């Protein structure tokens, strides 16, 4: 059996076309959705992500600004800029590119973002909202995974989902979102004994570890859906996932490749959250659904 490949580039294109219609609708009413990205230091990987985000914004009809600070910037200065952005009506979503340099307290910086502009969904209020099932802005990577499952017609309710990894940005919110949709969820970590015994029971297996090919075909149930969030740069410069794609694709029902799987969906969902924020900021007479 050969798995269906969940093509993140194609799915992202489809979803972005839907977002573009929503952005145009707002722009016609005189409110172009706007995203501000705050970046500190000159981490080359972060700069690439930020450039990609700016490009994706312009292609989707979203206004974007990049606010760059030198590595040694003070926390006060960054937080002062975030407060200005909180009060700027041109901006509906604010994203702080992580990781920040060690002298800055990420939790305090994120906490200074207005909850209604927290397009990344990392503010503690939004984390709490996710836990209670009243999601405001779902974190972009797990939101992208949920969108992929939906677009590929993969049922979640009643399925056994296994999430490998428990980070605050991927593993934990992923598990909560699957739980919210009615899956029975197991979370595995570096402390889990007999990882394969858990992964082999998964109908839906999401892997977010950051270790190349930690999951191989022997650890996957035949016909399972395998979502690889991991991005690992190999010594030859190529990117690879946490899943041994070549062996797993012969056994799984659906599988995501790396690159070209979850990655393109993450930025797509950031665009969606920014548009959502702009829609919510409109008075009800503009005809937007404020549910
Ligand atoms: P973290 O390093 O924050 O978390 C990794 C998790 O993996 C931890 O919870 C850790 O467990 C767990 N882990 C480590 N070793 C094992 C093991 N042997 N067995 C089971 N679990 C293990 O990483 P992130 O969540 O931030 O990212 C994970 C991967 O996803 C990375 O490759 C990252 O680059 C990628 N990523 C991709 C995105 C995309 O858009 N596609 C977006 C964000 C991340 P413990 O807590 O016990 O240490």
């Amino acid at each position: 059996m050969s798995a269906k490949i969940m093509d993140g580039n194609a799915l992202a294109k489809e979803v972005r076309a839907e977002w573009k219609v929503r952005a145009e609708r707002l722009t016609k009413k005189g409110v172009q959705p706007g995203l501000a990205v705050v970046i500190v230091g000159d981490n080359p990987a972060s700069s690439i992500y930020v450039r990609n985000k700016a490009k994706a914004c312009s292609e989707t009809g979203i206004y974007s600004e990049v606010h760059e600070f030198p590595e040694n910037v003070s926390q006060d200065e960054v937080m002062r800029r975030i407060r200005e952005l909180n009060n700027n009506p041109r901006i509906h979503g604010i994203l702080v590119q992580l990781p920040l340099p060690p002298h800055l307290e990420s939790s305090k910086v994120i906490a200074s973002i207005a909850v209604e502009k927290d397009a990344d969904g990392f503010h503690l209020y939004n984390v709490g909202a996710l836990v209670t099932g009243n999601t405001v802005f779902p974190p972009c990577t797990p939101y992208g995974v949920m969108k992929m499952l939906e677009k590929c017609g993969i049922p979640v309710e009643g399925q056994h989902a296994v999430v490998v990894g428990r980070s605050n940005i991927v593993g934990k919110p992923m598990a909560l979102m699957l739980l919210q949709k009615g899956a029975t969820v197991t979370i595995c970590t570096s402390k889990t004994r007999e990882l394969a015994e858990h992964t082999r029971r998964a109908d839906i297996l999401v892997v977010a570890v950051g270790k190349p090919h930690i999951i191989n075909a022997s650890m996957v149930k035949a016909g399972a859906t395998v979502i690889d969030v991991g991005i690992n740069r190999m010594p030859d410069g190529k990117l690879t996932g946490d899943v041994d794609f070549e062996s797993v694709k012969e056994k799984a029902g659906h599988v995501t490749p790396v690159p070209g799987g979850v990655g393109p969906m993450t930025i797509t969902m950031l665009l969606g959250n920014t548009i959502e924020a702009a829609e919510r900021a409109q008075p009800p007479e503009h005809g937007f659904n404020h549910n």
Side-chain angles (χ1 to χ4, degrees):
M1 171 176 167
S2 200
K4 288 199 178 114
I5 310 300
M6 297 166 80
D7 181 344
N9 286 318
L11 290 171
K13 199 168 160 197
E14 192 183 319
V15 177
R16 284 183 201 190
E18 294 166 19
W19 289 173
K20 197 169 177 191
V21 172
R22 284 168 65 186
E24 282 168 359
R25 185 167 166 230
L26 274 163
T27 305
K28 277 196 197 128
K29 290 176 187 285
V31 188
Q32 187 184 19
L35 174 73
V37 178
V38 175
I39 175 167
V40 180
D42 53 5
N43 176 341
S46 294
S47 306
I48 293 170
Y49 290 139
V50 170
R51 268 206 306 279
N52 288 345
K53 281 167 187 162
K55 183 164 172 274
C57 279
S58 88
E59 286 168 1
T60 315
I62 296 174
Y63 166 75
S64 72
E65 290 177 357
V66 178
H67 295 256
E68 287 179 85
F69 290 97
E71 181 86 17
N72 61 356
V73 67
S74 73
Q75 182 147 314
D76 279 352
E77 199 178 335
V78 176
M79 286 169 59
R80 201 174 317 122
R81 182 70 57 87
I82 290 175
R83 280 195 292 274
E84 282 165 20
L85 293 168
N86 286 342
N87 293 320
N88 181 347
R90 189 90 183 76
I91 297 300
H92 304 95
I94 303 170
L95 172 147
V96 176
Q97 186 68 41
L98 300 174
L100 291 171
H103 71 282
L104 300 178
E105 277 181 84
S106 302
S107 58
K108 284 203 175 145
V109 173
I110 300 294
S112 69
I113 299 173
V115 167
E116 65 278 10
K117 295 192 178 187
D118 175 35
D120 241 350
F122 293 159
H123 189 290
L124 279 187
Y125 178 93
N126 284 324
V127 174
L130 181 65
V131 173
T132 56
N134 301 300
T135 312
V136 182
F137 292 116
C140 300
T141 300
Y143 186 16
V145 172
M146 295 308 288
K147 190 57 115 180
M148 288 181 104
L149 294 172
E150 180 197 313
K151 288 275 175 194
C152 294
I154 294 161
V156 175
E157 190 175 298
Q159 302 296 298
H160 185 189
V162 176
V163 178
V164 189
R166 58 167 159 178
S167 72
N168 290 334
I169 61 166
V170 191
K172 279 185 211 161
M174 184 78 254
L176 286 164
M177 290 167 91
L178 289 162
L179 190 65
Q180 184 66 21
K181 287 282 180 201
T184 301
V185 182
T186 299
I187 306 175
C188 299
T189 74
S190 65
K191 310 289 185 286
T192 300
R193 293 193 299 268
E194 308 299 342
L195 179 65
E197 285 192 9
H198 296 282
T199 59
R200 272 198 289 267
R201 282 203 285 266
D203 302 307
I204 298 171
L205 176 61
V206 183
V207 191
V209 172
K211 291 190 176 158
H213 301 185
I214 188 172
I215 301 293
N216 61 45
S218 74
M219 301 166 80
V220 170
K221 177 159 89 175
T225 296
V226 181
I227 310 280
D228 189 355
V229 180
I231 302 175
N232 307 286
R233 189 160 301 274
M234 303 305 279
D236 63 4
K238 290 197 178 130
L239 294 181
T240 194
D242 290 349
V243 172
D244 176 16
F245 180 80
E246 289 307 318
S247 72
V248 167
K249 81 174 175 12
E250 300 306 322
K251 194 167 180 193
H254 287 83
V255 64
T256 62
V258 177
V262 176
M265 292 302 285
T266 296
I267 296 187
T268 302
M269 305 326 274
L270 171 72
L271 306 176
N273 277 349
T274 302
I275 295 166
E276 181 75 33
E279 288 174 353
R280 286 186 195 151
Q282 303 317 302
E285 65 268 21
H286 278 230
F288 291 102
N289 184 355
H290 284 257
N291 287 340

